[in-house]
Amino acid sequence: GENVEQHPSTLSVQEGDSAVIKCTYSDSASNYFPWYKQELGKGPQLIIDIRSNVGEKKDQRIAVTLNKTAKHFSLHITETQPEDSAVYFCAARFGNEKLTFGTGTRLTIIP
Amino acid sequence: ETGVTQSPTHLIKTRGQQVTLRCSSQSGHNTVSWYQQALGQGPQFIFQYYREEENGRGNFPPRFSGLQFPNYSSELNVNALELDDSALYLCASSFYPSGSTGELFFGEGSRLTVL
């Protein structure tokens, strides 16, 4: 089955700097890679996703890159703000099957 | 557009009891998935329902069961509760077949504590 590894587990970044979170997946058939943000006491919120036919996608301060050959994908947050502090999860899926999640990254933005 | 809603938000049970968690899917969605999220972990897939039938299951024992109703709402039932069942239970809805979308939208979860 699919396995997703996520690094780092914790990340502290000065406000205004960039943050990068990296994930690797094992199943080369996976074709959909979403990223979720989870705030304390809340459910995961989809913030950006990418499909296997695209190498990069950007939405304002958030971008995701995908390297299918290496089976890596990364989340990039630029100009970080205090409200970016949360736990971020990457995930991978083939077709309409289940999402397999990484173990999460606790991002702290230092004012 | 109505998002995914779950109830109850919190509940406490004792070992051996049974629990039912409920979920209303997002408007326009026809598929419901359930995930278990232990403290400090990523969500783990329990099962998915489409057209009122289970069409995918993760590594969970049969005491975890579910239902999907004609209005696409869903229930998760857990029998013979164990201490390790303490977790946040997340419901997610999506549209199948998804075509170019297929995003999964989560509710806020039901936090179950088993004593």
Side-chain angles (χ1 to χ4, degrees):
Chain A
E2 176 67 277
N3 183 49
V4 177
E5 294 189 359
Q6 182 172 347
H7 300 280
S9 57
T10 61
L11 179 61
S12 293
V13 173
Q14 207 71 35
E15 183 179 351
D17 287 349
S18 296
V20 180
I21 302 170
K22 299 181 179 182
C23 290
T24 60
Y25 61 98
S26 61
D27 187 351
S28 57
S30 290
N31 60 0
Y32 176 65
F33 308 92
W35 285 87
Y36 287 86
K37 175 184 181 181
Q38 188 172 27
E39 297 175 333
L40 194 62
K42 296 192 173 183
Q45 176 192 6
L46 178 68
I47 57 172
I48 195 167
D49 57 13
I50 192 167
R51 298 185 180 276
S52 57
N53 59 347
V54 176
E56 184 174 357
K57 183 176 178 181
K58 190 173 181 180
D59 182 5
Q60 299 183 349
R61 297 186 298 109
I62 294 173
V64 56
T65 59
L66 172 64
N67 182 331
K68 284 190 296 182
T69 303
K71 290 189 278 188
H72 289 170
F73 58 114
S74 300
L75 177 71
H76 305 253
I77 306 175
T78 59
E79 301 172 13
T80 52
Q81 301 169 2
E83 53 265 37
D84 294 330
S85 294
V87 179
Y88 291 80
F89 291 97
C90 62
R93 185 180 80 190
F94 169 69
N96 284 292
E97 297 180 1
K98 64 173 183 175
L99 276 177
T100 298
F101 284 84
T103 49
T105 297
R106 181 172 298 280
L107 175 63
T108 302
I109 307 302
I110 305 166
Chain B
E1 185 177 85
T2 306
V4 178
T5 58
Q6 292 186 241
S7 63
T9 55
H10 296 83
L11 69 167
I12 300 173
K13 294 285 188 177
T14 57
R15 275 186 304 174
Q17 285 189 312
Q18 177 266 344
V19 67
T20 297
L21 307 178
R22 296 177 175 83
C23 171
S24 293
S25 60
Q26 182 165 313
S27 176
H29 286 179
N30 59 7
T31 302
V32 173
S33 305
W34 287 91
Y35 287 76
Q36 180 196 64
Q37 186 177 25
L39 203 60
Q41 302 294 318
Q44 298 289 318
F45 176 73
I46 303 176
F47 43 55
Q48 176 174 286
Y49 277 82
Y50 171 66
R51 288 187 175 175
E52 302 176 45
E53 291 189 359
E54 184 182 297
N55 77 333
R57 188 177 185 96
N59 189 26
F60 282 82
R63 59 189 186 84
F64 285 77
S65 63
L67 287 172
Q68 186 184 31
F69 301 100
N71 66 353
Y72 308 121
S73 65
S74 177
E75 286 183 357
L76 165 64
N77 298 289
V78 187
N79 294 323
L81 285 167
E82 301 177 359
L83 296 180
D84 285 348
D85 295 334
S86 294
L88 181 68
Y89 287 86
L90 295 162
C91 172
S93 74
S94 58
F95 179 75
Y96 179 84
S98 59
S100 61
T101 55
E103 295 95 341
L104 214 63
F105 294 96
F106 285 86
E108 302 287 37
S110 294
R111 169 121 3 239
L112 170 65
T113 301
V114 182
L115 301 176

